Amino acid sequence: ARVLPPAGLPTALWVVPVSDLAGVARHVLDVARTGVPGWRLIFLTPPGDLPRELRTVGAEVVEGDFGPAHGLPSSARTLRDVVRRERPAVVHSHLAYADIVAALVVRGPRLVTTEHGIARDDAVYHLSSAKSRVMALAHTARLRRFDAAIAVSRATADAMRDKWHPKVPLTVIPNGVDPIDEVSRLAPLAPEPRKGTRGPGLRILSLARLSPEKRLPALVDGFAELRRAHPEARLTLAGTGPEEAALRRQVERLALTDAVTMPGFVDPNLAMAEHDVLAMMSVWENCSYALLDAAARGMGVVATSVGGNPEILPASTLVDATDTTAIAATLADQGLKPEVRPGLAGWPSVADMCGRIAATYADAGART
């Protein structure tokens, strides 16, 4: 467990409206483990896996009736009560629900938000143009209440400006990443070739929800072309989602049943240890932890040139999801030529990220 900061430091209340371990949880746990210099952190979350994991790293946690599952009145009441009791100098919200509740009820502390998930194409996150317009208006309005906003990539910040027209300063702070031990996630790991039990041949991995915005059919088509030159290659589509049945039919139609596995949820660290290349054909990514982790481990990486991906990866690893031949060729290069893999030299560490968060609090006028 990390060492708690000394008493007497100002408090930053991190408000997270979900308790599962997907998405924003990685960011929250990394910050909890490392700490924001000069600040005492408290995390408000609904009950579930996230608060349990936060406690294992020594974080101060308040579990409460907060988040979409608990409704707006209960969420507003819970946040108001925690602010009154803890008297934070900063309330730092994450994800749209927490942002909106914080804007409605918090008065006094400085308000800071981190934007983790916005896309150029409204259809990525919203099913209708009407909902997109409503959410854009809501974000434009709530940002008027905030003192600072953090974006996890330049692409994210640009999308915020174009869609929400914020007057508040935007600071780009990419998700920090450290070399991480594949089992404990705590000890350093040099980007050496992975070891483990696996058969011969090139191994391709996808760690993504099986949903339309991940464009997995394009990956399967590219893999089918790769197999013509490398028949020993194997593809793992890890994850679950609404496209599972359609993907299984595609795999059968292309006679790839013996070469493609769909195991559902997997431990991402162990899965990366057993594969050569991580592939991601998404419509949009803001600052993908999966790409960062794969590059940090020395894996090959192939991704679409969208969102924040070009800020993480060199052009030689980026592809157009409609170009099956390019996907196949780049998978082969990244898998079979370790010398061309991107690595992650110079990328901000988690400590770097936390230091920049502290600087943002100061810039927002929060007392220290």
Side-chain angles (χ1 to χ4, degrees):
R2 74 179 177 89
V3 178
L4 292 175
L9 294 179
T11 296
L13 175 64
W14 277 45
V15 184
V16 185
V18 294
S19 60
D20 59 53
L21 295 179
V24 72
R26 165 67 180 277
H27 179 89
V28 172
L29 285 165
D30 279 352
V31 170
R33 194 177 287 116
T34 302
V36 174
W39 289 84
R40 170 200 179 206
L41 300 182
I42 300 177
F43 299 86
L44 170 60
T45 77
D49 293 335
L50 178 56
R52 182 172 62 252
E53 291 298 315
L54 283 166
R55 289 191 177 96
T56 68
V57 300
E60 295 185 67
V61 183
V62 177
E63 290 185 50
D65 294 337
F66 187 86
H70 297 276
L72 182 58
S74 292
S75 298
R77 183 168 54 252
T78 297
L79 179 56
R80 191 180 292 113
D81 289 347
V82 174
V83 169
R84 185 182 298 119
R85 182 174 67 249
E86 300 294 344
R87 302 176 64 83
V90 168
V91 172
H92 190 160
S93 57
H94 300 260
L95 303 177
Y97 190 92
D99 293 334
I100 291 170
V101 176
L104 289 173
V105 307
V106 174
R107 299 295 182 269
R110 299 294 180 176
L111 279 176
V112 178
T113 176
T114 293
E115 182 57 47
H116 300 271
I118 182 176
R120 286 284 182 190
D121 184 354
D122 290 332
V124 174
Y125 293 114
H126 304 304
L127 297 178
S128 71
S129 57
K131 183 177 181 181
S132 297
R133 288 192 297 271
V134 168
M135 290 306 298
L137 290 171
H139 282 293
T140 298
R142 63 95 177 169
L143 278 169
R144 297 190 187 113
R145 289 275 301 111
F146 280 76
D147 299 288
I150 295 169
V152 296
S153 69
R154 293 191 300 274
T156 303
D158 290 344
M160 292 171 72
R161 292 187 185 97
D162 291 348
K163 290 174 177 289
W164 301 341
H165 314 292
K167 305 300 182 185
V168 65
L170 296 183
T171 301
V172 176
I173 304 179
N175 291 327
V177 67
D178 299 325
I180 310 169
D181 182 84
E182 294 169 359
V183 177
S184 71
R185 297 183 61 81
L186 295 176
L189 171 70
E192 299 290 335
R194 278 82 46 221
K195 298 178 181 179
T197 57
R198 46 162 284 181
L202 183 58
R203 294 294 191 270
I204 312 298
L205 174 66
S206 168
L207 294 170
R209 176 170 163 77
L210 308 183
S211 54
E213 72 274 10
K214 299 303 182 180
R215 292 194 291 204
L216 293 171
L219 175 58
V220 174
D221 285 341
F223 176 74
E225 183 160 333
L226 171 71
R227 285 262 298 177
R228 297 188 184 106
H230 302 280
E232 77 292 347
R234 300 290 183 270
L235 170 65
T236 301
L237 300 175
T240 64
E243 294 294 294
E244 180 174 349
L247 285 165
R248 290 189 183 278
R249 289 193 296 270
Q250 180 186 11
V251 168
E252 292 175 3
R253 185 176 69 253
L254 295 173
L256 295 173
T257 305
D258 293 337
V260 177
T261 58
M262 299 176 64
F265 289 113
V266 298
D267 182 307
N269 301 301
L270 297 179
M272 287 186 185
E274 297 168 354
H275 291 77
D276 303 294
V277 180
L278 180 77
M280 184 176 290
M281 299 293 111
S282 307
V283 172
W284 182 270
E285 294 288 340
N286 287 276
C287 187
S288 167
Y289 273 115
L291 292 181
L292 290 169
D293 286 344
R297 292 172 188 280
M299 290 182 72
V301 183
V302 178
T304 42
S305 183
V306 299
N309 290 355
E311 299 170 41
I312 299 172
L313 300 171
S316 59
T317 68
L318 300 173
V319 296
D320 181 338
T322 65
D323 190 339
T324 303
T325 300
I327 293 171
T330 310
L331 288 172
D333 280 349
Q334 287 290 302
L336 300 173
K337 301 175 182 176
E339 68 275 10
V340 305
R341 294 175 182 173
L344 209 59
W347 190 262
S349 67
V350 175
D352 294 334
M353 176 181 72
C354 290
R356 293 198 62 195
I357 291 171
T360 301
Y361 292 172
D363 291 344
R367 64 178 181 85
T368 57

